[in-house]
Structures are given as structure tokens and as C-alpha cells.
Amino acid sequence: MSSHHIVRENQEPALVILEAHAIPFEKVQELLEWMPTIIVLHSQIETVLGWGIKIDVLLVPAGEETSWAERAKDQQPIEVISFQVSETPLNKVISFLQSRNIPAVNWLASDRQILLVLTDFNGDIEVFIDGTRWSRVKSGRFAKWLPAGTVLQVFPEIFSDKNFFVDQEGILNLQATQPFWVGENL
């Protein structure tokens, strides 16, 4: 007996690659399973092309669209989006995602400061930084069953501890009056 799945456009989380080495490629492959929309910052293109995957959108500095489109010609069709020097690529990507009504996004990034910018993003998001998966807790209430030995990080540091060590399996409950992020090593 076989099962059939229909995947509608934008149903799977898009993948935004601002730092290709945020997690090991084996973990990236898991994010690619359902062929998401893939958006890549120009500085990461060589690494991503080396993975042998199809890129949908390339984010480049204004004025460099033609040269980058030429470098990515094997990826056609590809959409090249430019950002001005006065704006961050991150804000350009957020605008793009919102304009396309993409409701869920996985981000590969290099700096935890991105978490501050993405706190107010409307969609569902996970951010991967230095081998850690950061999940946003919009409601301010986090409850999850965790095995003993799990270490979680919290950002921003709104609790007395920024790291939580689970000494015995069970449900960890965290509650705050504002959204926060929980980081779990992969």
C-alpha cells in the first residue's frame, strides 16, 4: 500500500541561507526533503552550488544583478533580488517572504542577533546558528518533554539562567511575559 502526499506551493517552510555552514549538510538535507523555496545570499552561493541543489532566489547587492545572474545561469529559472547598501539583506528577504505569503521559514544564519529581528516575523520560523536550532516561543510559554542530559539555551536572557540543563527526563516549562527563543543543539 502506498501513501500519496500533495504538497501545495508554499506549504513547506522556505529555506533562507544567509550562512551555509550554520549546520552540517546532513541536517540541511533534512530541510530540503520537500523541495522548499530556496533563497541564498550571494556570499553563500559557491557553497550552496557545491551541494548540487536548485536555488530559487539569489539575493545580491544592487548594481550586481547581471554578474550574479550570469554566475547562476545554470540555475535558471532563478529570481535575482537586489538590496541597497542602506538596507540589510535580512530585511529584503523578510519583505520578499511577506510579498509571496510564505508562512513558514527555516533560516541558516551566523549571528544570534538575527533572532531579535525575527521576533516579530509573522510566520512560523526556526533559525539554525552554529549547530543550534532556535525555535521562537511567540506565546511566552514553552513546555516540552525532554530526555535527561538535554541542554537548552534561551535568548534573550530573560530568565535567571540562560542555559537550562535537564537532569531527569520530563516536561520543562518556561514562561515569560514576552516572546523568546529556545535553542537546542542538534
Side-chain angles (χ1 to χ4, degrees), residues 9 65 85 103 109 139-140 167:
E9 190 171 347
E65 297 89 348
V85 177
S139 67
D167 52 357

Side-chain angles (χ1 to χ4, degrees), residues 23-32 108 128 131 133 186:
I23 55 176
F25 181 64
E26 300 78 47
K27 296 293 183 184
V28 174
Q29 287 177 307
E30 293 173 17
L31 301 175
L32 296 171
L108 301 185
F128 298 84
R133 175 185 30 237
L186 296 177

Side-chain angles (χ1 to χ4, degrees), residues 157-177:
E157 288 84 15
I158 54 176
F159 300 99
S160 57
D161 292 320
K162 67 177 182 174
N163 294 316
F164 292 87
F165 178 78
V166 179
D167 52 357
Q168 57 180 215
E169 70 179 42
I171 296 177
L172 176 66
N173 287 295
L174 300 174
Q175 189 146 355
T177 57

Side-chain angles (χ1 to χ4, degrees), residues 15-24 28 31 39 41 43-44 51 90 93 105-118 126-134 181 186:
L15 177 60
V16 176
I17 303 172
L18 302 176
E19 170 53 64
H21 300 289
I23 55 176
V28 174
L31 301 175
I39 303 164
L41 182 62
S43 62
Q44 303 302 303
W51 294 344
L90 179 59
V93 171
V105 186
N106 289 314
W107 299 79
L108 301 185
S110 61
D111 186 348
R112 285 198 317 183
Q113 295 306 308
I114 190 175
L115 301 176
L116 295 174
V117 176
L118 293 176
E126 287 195 335
V127 181
F128 298 84
I129 304 167
D130 291 331
T132 300
R133 175 185 30 237
W134 290 91
W181 294 83
L186 296 177

